[in-house]
Amino acid sequence: MLILSRRNGESFVIGDDIKITVLSQRSNQVRIGIEAPRSMPVHREEVIARREKEAAQNQSRATSRHSSSTTDTSLKTELVIERD
C-alpha cells in the first residue's frame, strides 16, 4: 500500500486519467474529490461489501429453493456462504 500525505487542496494522480484531491479535513473525517472517466466505476468499499453480501444471500436462497437436497444440506450451504 502506498501512503501519501496531502493537505487541503492538494492532489495526486493515478494513471493518466484519475485525479484525487483532498477537499477538507475535520477531526476524523476527510472529504476527497475524485475526477475519473465516467466509464470508471467508483464505489465506497462498504457499498461493495453490502452488495456482495446481498448477492450471496440471494444466491443462497435461490439454491435452497431449487435444490433437491434435504433441508439440513441447504442450511449447511447457507452457513458457508454467510461466512464469506
Side-chain angles (χ1 to χ4, degrees):
M1 175 185 295
L2 174 64
I3 300 173
L4 301 172
S5 297
R6 302 278 77 199
R7 293 188 175 130
N8 289 347
E10 294 182 336
S11 303
F12 61 94
V13 177
I14 300 172
D16 293 329
D17 52 3
I18 300 172
K19 182 178 178 181
I20 311 294
T21 304
V22 177
L23 301 176
S24 65
Q25 302 170 16
R26 281 184 265 151
S27 61
N28 65 344
Q29 188 178 42
V30 176
R31 293 182 62 219
I32 61 170
I34 302 170
E35 294 179 39
R38 289 202 180 269
S39 61
M40 175 70 62
V42 178
H43 301 287
R44 294 187 328 247
E45 186 175 30
E46 63 272 16
V47 172
I48 293 171
R50 185 182 69 224
R51 287 181 182 171
E52 289 174 351
K53 182 179 177 182
E54 289 171 357
Q57 288 173 342
N58 291 337
Q59 179 65 33
S60 177
R61 287 184 197 120
T63 301
S64 65
R65 282 187 208 137
H66 300 294
S67 176
S68 61
S69 302
T70 64
T71 303
D72 290 339
T73 303
S74 296
L75 291 174
K76 288 178 184 174
T77 301
E78 288 179 7
L79 285 173
V80 170
I81 292 172
E82 285 294 319
R83 290 181 183 163
D84 292 337

